[in-house]
Structure formats: C-alpha cells, structure tokens
Amino acid sequence: MAIQKDLSNSQYGVPFTGAYFRIVTASVSRTRDADNRHSVMIDVAGYATAPQDDDTRDIEFRRYHCPLAEVEAKEDSSFVAKCYAWVMAQDDMAGSTGV
C-alpha cells in the first residue's frame, strides 16, 4: 500500500514525477478535549521512486494530525488503509493515486 504523486517542487529544488509516499507512523493518542477524545498522528515519507530497502532516504516528509473519527469514517477494511485514504484526501495530496 502506498501513494504516488507528482511533486512540482521539492526541498532539493527539482520536481519528482511519480514520487512514492508511504505511511511510516500512524499513532492514536488520547487527548483532554472531550469533543475529540482521540487524535491520530500520521507521518508520511516520500521517495523519488519505490524504495528497494529500508536504507533509502526520503525526499519529502509530512506529518498530519486529525481526530480519530475522521480516519474511522473512511471506507476501507483496516485502520492503515483508512489512514492512506485520509491522507490522499488532504489538499497537499490532491492528484495522488493509491499504488
């Protein structure tokens, strides 16, 4: 499970066509907010291409925070798949596709 997206710019000052993104962390935390008792933190690493091993360095890193209810509302079979669906729905991931 991963996400593919064209990056028009990067921290290296060059675009990357078909950049490969994957979730590297998805964690649920309990908060003091009674209306949104649980929140999710999702870390996504982007690579120039699909990494061949775990030693490949990322070209992009994004961290998202949202209420757990937003992730759980996504239509999919597992928590991680719902996290991917939620990430792909974010403005900065517009035009992305699941791979």
Side-chain angles (χ1 to χ4, degrees):
M1 191 174 287
I3 300 169
Q4 192 169 29
K5 176 176 174 37
D6 293 339
L7 294 178
S8 58
N9 200 358
S10 69
Q11 64 182 339
Y12 299 103
V14 296
F16 287 95
T17 302
Y20 181 93
F21 290 85
R22 65 180 175 202
I23 292 175
V24 294
T25 305
S27 64
V28 178
S29 301
R30 182 176 170 88
T31 68
R32 292 177 176 258
D33 183 353
D35 294 328
N36 292 307
R37 183 60 69 192
H38 296 92
S39 67
V40 180
M41 180 191 72
I42 304 170
D43 290 341
V44 179
Y47 304 88
T49 61
Q52 299 304 309
D53 57 45
D54 287 334
D55 293 326
T56 303
R57 302 280 304 197
D58 57 271
I59 58 164
E60 181 98 355
F61 181 85
R62 299 174 183 192
R63 176 169 281 173
Y64 301 95
H65 296 274
C66 69
L68 176 60
E70 287 185 20
V71 172
E72 289 181 332
K74 293 297 179 186
E75 300 262 340
D76 226 311
S77 58
S78 71
F79 177 71
V80 173
K82 289 179 180 192
C83 287
Y84 273 100
W86 185 89
V87 168
M88 290 175 57
Q90 301 312 297
D91 290 343
D92 65 345
M93 292 300 273
S96 64
T97 57
V99 292

